[in-house]
Amino acid sequence: MASKAFSEEDLSCPVCYNIYKDPVILTCTHSICKTCLQKFWETKGSRECPICRRRSSREIYPLNRVLKNLCETFQQERSQREPFCSLHRSELKLFCEDDKQLVCLVCRDSKLHKNHNFSPISEAALERKEELKIKLEPLQKKLDNYKQVKTSSDKTAQHMRVQAQHTERQIKEEFENLHQFLRDEEAARLAALREEEEQKSQVMKEKIEKMSKEISSLSDTIRAIEEEMGADDITFLRERVSGALINVEKHLGNLKFRVWEKMKEIVQYTPVTLDPNTANPQLILSEDLTSVRYSDVTQQLPDNPERFDMGACVLGSEGFNSGTHCWDVEVGGSDIWSLGVKTESGQRKGVGALSGAWFVYHVNGAYRADSPPQPTTRLTVKQKPQRIRVQLDWERGKLSFTDPDNNTHLHTFTHPFTERVFPFFRTLSSLRILPVKAAVTVEQLS
């Protein structure tokens, strides 16, 4: 290979000291760049070899193709190993701070870089790496944040799919229960119809048999029959069968309403249900979203903005910004609980999760009313309540708590509500929202 057989000095022009470019060979066997030779002759005023000063008689000298090929091969191999100056074909060893580019030693001494500042390539590279590192740090943080958000989004998307599948299954189960109730009710009513049909068919059969015997016994003479037919109406009508037909009204009269009315026995209405998307990961909600219990095991749930991440809290699924509302909560088996309402804009992350909330709570046998950052009010409760009734009058700005079993008032907050509030629950054991009795009523038109 050329790079192993020759050095850069062997392949450098003795005039320009750069790698030969289009070298021509003189009669004295010395080789010179074609351009360098022409400039030397013009400057010298005579045709002689720049090296040995031997005069040359020729106008044109042949191209030294072997040397040219060696130079091109050498430069190609060197460019693969290390950068070189395209202008001077020399190794790049310096970095021009003014022009922000790599230069060779010849460039440094040229007019193009006169009075410029230079640094060794290693020092300049280290400095640039430090600059890039400083610029890279915020970008890396941003990338890490994006990755975290993407990971969170992926988990949220997966949780959404699980939620949708779970909710679909629950909907199908609920409707299957309703369908089964209707199928059972249909079967019961058809069975009652068939039973009535069989009973009345049997009565009719017996009556027909009896009448057949009587007709047979009275067929002795036509006169006897005529005499019987001529009897008074009451005697004749006694032979008719009363109530023989199917009581259609009993089976079809207001059928849909009566089935709907009977459905009260299997249908419950709860004025407040829980929102699973707000529940702290240590709270487990029931399938029908009416009860909640605390668990020592933290569930893997998306950290969405609506979810409480520190306090064992959960909100109702529906908020209120008008009207009066009431719900009863079973607290008898719970040692630590809080009940009340919380504003829609209230913080749900970190230690400020109780801000924007008005609630009554029980802990260590004591009952208190609280609305941070206001002072806590200690409540006097003579008998431990089994359930608490929460009553909200949004327009009047009143939130009341009572023990409905003992008809005892516990506390009332008075505050002008200005935004939507949601039922608020917190527990380290369990709570259950109680259903209300459903009624089917009929209104007469006036």
Side-chain angles (χ1 to χ4, degrees), residues 56-241:
S56 301
S57 57
R58 296 181 184 178
E59 290 285 340
I60 300 176
Y61 288 90
L63 183 66
N64 190 340
R65 295 189 178 277
V66 175
L67 182 57
K68 178 179 173 62
N69 293 338
L70 286 173
C71 291
E72 290 177 351
T73 303
F74 179 82
Q75 289 179 333
Q76 183 178 5
E77 292 183 355
R78 187 174 65 175
S79 64
Q80 294 175 354
R81 298 192 309 270
E82 57 186 18
F84 68 97
C85 177
S86 60
L87 183 61
H88 301 110
R89 303 296 176 179
S90 298
E91 182 181 354
L92 298 173
K93 294 186 176 181
L94 300 173
F95 181 77
C96 179
E97 300 288 351
D98 297 84
D99 294 331
K100 305 300 181 185
Q101 67 180 35
L102 296 171
V103 297
C104 67
L105 296 178
V106 180
C107 292
R108 178 193 62 184
D109 299 329
S110 66
K111 293 182 180 180
L112 186 62
H113 295 279
K114 187 176 181 180
N115 298 325
H116 286 186
N117 296 314
F118 299 91
S119 299
I121 290 179
S122 59
E123 292 182 6
L126 182 60
E127 184 178 346
R128 296 304 176 275
K129 287 179 181 178
E130 290 297 327
E131 292 176 358
L132 289 176
K133 184 179 179 181
I134 294 174
K135 293 180 180 179
L136 185 63
E137 286 179 356
L139 295 177
Q140 187 63 48
K141 290 181 180 179
K142 193 172 184 179
L143 177 61
D144 292 341
N145 290 337
Y146 276 129
K147 287 181 178 180
Q148 290 177 2
V149 172
K150 183 181 182 301
T151 300
S152 177
S153 299
D154 291 340
K155 291 181 179 179
T156 300
Q158 176 63 26
H159 185 69
M160 287 170 56
R161 288 191 290 271
V162 173
Q163 273 188 313
Q165 294 169 359
H166 181 69
T167 305
E168 179 181 354
R169 179 179 60 79
Q170 288 182 273
I171 291 174
K172 288 181 178 180
E173 288 178 358
E174 290 295 333
F175 273 94
E176 177 57 31
N177 291 336
L178 293 175
H179 294 159
Q180 187 60 48
F181 170 82
L182 293 175
R183 287 193 291 267
D184 293 343
E185 188 66 18
E186 177 187 12
R189 290 181 178 273
L190 290 175
L193 173 62
R194 285 192 292 269
E195 182 180 0
E196 182 180 355
E197 179 190 11
E198 291 174 0
Q199 290 176 352
K200 291 189 174 181
S201 294
Q202 182 64 30
V203 171
M204 287 299 299
K205 181 179 180 181
E206 293 174 357
K207 289 288 185 183
I208 291 172
E209 290 176 354
K210 181 180 178 181
M211 290 180 67
S212 297
K213 290 178 180 179
E214 289 179 355
I215 291 173
S216 178
S217 65
L218 294 175
S219 63
D220 293 338
T221 61
I222 295 175
R223 179 185 292 276
I225 296 174
E226 290 176 346
E227 290 177 357
E228 183 181 352
M229 292 181 65
D232 61 273
D233 293 342
I234 295 177
T235 303
F236 179 75
L237 290 176
R238 282 176 181 169
E239 299 301 322
R240 301 293 189 267
V241 181

Side-chain angles (χ1 to χ4, degrees), residues 1-52:
M1 299 294 292
S3 59
K4 295 181 180 179
F6 298 92
S7 66
E8 183 176 350
E9 184 179 354
D10 295 330
L11 301 175
S12 297
C13 173
V15 177
C16 65
Y17 302 107
N18 294 321
I19 301 296
Y20 283 111
K21 186 175 182 181
D22 296 329
V24 294
I25 185 169
L26 303 179
T27 53
C28 61
T29 70
H30 290 124
S31 295
I32 310 293
C33 290
K34 183 177 180 181
T35 303
C36 294
L37 182 62
Q38 293 294 335
K39 288 182 179 180
F40 180 79
W41 284 352
E42 290 174 2
T43 302
K44 190 69 173 175
S46 61
R47 295 176 178 274
E48 58 183 42
C49 174
I51 300 173
C52 64

Side-chain angles (χ1 to χ4, degrees), residues 315-322 325 341-346 348 356 358 392 394 417-423:
L315 297 181
S317 58
E318 181 183 359
F320 310 118
N321 59 0
S322 63
H325 309 274
V341 298
K342 181 175 174 63
T343 58
E344 185 172 23
S345 63
R348 302 184 190 180
W358 296 264
L392 170 67
W394 196 92
F417 299 114
T418 58
E419 62 173 295
R420 187 185 304 271
V421 295
F422 287 81

Side-chain angles (χ1 to χ4, degrees), residues 160-420:
M160 287 170 56
R161 288 191 290 271
V162 173
Q163 273 188 313
Q165 294 169 359
H166 181 69
T167 305
E168 179 181 354
R169 179 179 60 79
Q170 288 182 273
I171 291 174
K172 288 181 178 180
E173 288 178 358
E174 290 295 333
F175 273 94
E176 177 57 31
N177 291 336
L178 293 175
H179 294 159
Q180 187 60 48
F181 170 82
L182 293 175
R183 287 193 291 267
D184 293 343
E185 188 66 18
E186 177 187 12
R189 290 181 178 273
L190 290 175
L193 173 62
R194 285 192 292 269
E195 182 180 0
E196 182 180 355
E197 179 190 11
E198 291 174 0
Q199 290 176 352
K200 291 189 174 181
S201 294
Q202 182 64 30
V203 171
M204 287 299 299
K205 181 179 180 181
E206 293 174 357
K207 289 288 185 183
I208 291 172
E209 290 176 354
K210 181 180 178 181
M211 290 180 67
S212 297
K213 290 178 180 179
E214 289 179 355
I215 291 173
S216 178
S217 65
L218 294 175
S219 63
D220 293 338
T221 61
I222 295 175
R223 179 185 292 276
I225 296 174
E226 290 176 346
E227 290 177 357
E228 183 181 352
M229 292 181 65
D232 61 273
D233 293 342
I234 295 177
T235 303
F236 179 75
L237 290 176
R238 282 176 181 169
E239 299 301 322
R240 301 293 189 267
V241 181
S242 176
L245 300 180
I246 295 294
N247 189 354
V248 176
E249 190 282 331
K250 171 186 173 183
H251 298 286
L252 295 182
N254 294 313
L255 176 60
K256 295 178 182 178
F257 176 82
R258 294 185 186 281
V259 173
W260 178 39
E261 186 178 36
K262 193 172 181 180
M263 286 180 71
K264 291 189 304 179
E265 301 172 5
I266 67 167
V267 175
Q268 288 187 333
Y269 174 75
T270 307
V272 170
T273 56
L274 303 173
D275 183 358
N277 293 335
T278 66
N280 179 278
Q282 288 188 281
L283 294 181
I284 299 177
L285 276 55
S286 62
E287 295 284 345
D288 60 1
L289 305 178
T290 61
S291 63
V292 56
R293 64 181 177 86
Y294 180 82
S295 172
D296 293 329
V297 179
T298 301
Q299 303 174 86
Q300 296 300 315
L301 299 175
D303 187 22
N304 48 299
E306 303 87 354
R307 192 179 306 281
F308 291 92
D309 63 349
M310 290 190 66
C313 307
V314 62
L315 297 181
S317 58
E318 181 183 359
F320 310 118
N321 59 0
S322 63
T324 58
H325 309 274
C326 178
W327 58 94
D328 289 357
V329 184
E330 186 177 71
V331 298
S334 180
D335 295 326
I336 301 176
W337 52 261
S338 301
L339 301 174
V341 298
K342 181 175 174 63
T343 58
E344 185 172 23
S345 63
Q347 183 178 342
R348 302 184 190 180
K349 304 295 184 183
V351 295
L354 299 182
S355 62
W358 296 264
F359 56 93
V360 165
Y361 70 93
H362 171 259
V363 61
N364 296 329
Y367 296 85
R368 292 180 172 83
D370 198 3
S371 178
Q374 301 299 321
T376 299
T377 301
R378 188 180 181 91
L379 307 179
T380 301
V381 179
K382 295 181 179 179
Q383 186 174 352
K384 181 180 180 180
Q386 297 302 303
R387 57 181 176 141
I388 299 293
R389 176 165 295 166
V390 185
Q391 293 175 291
L392 170 67
D393 189 335
W394 196 92
E395 276 86 2
R396 296 176 63 189
K398 287 190 175 183
L399 179 66
S400 300
F401 301 85
T402 57
D403 178 352
D405 296 323
N406 299 312
N407 196 25
T408 303
H409 174 260
L410 300 178
H411 186 74
T412 296
F413 288 102
T414 301
H415 179 84
F417 299 114
T418 58
E419 62 173 295
R420 187 185 304 271

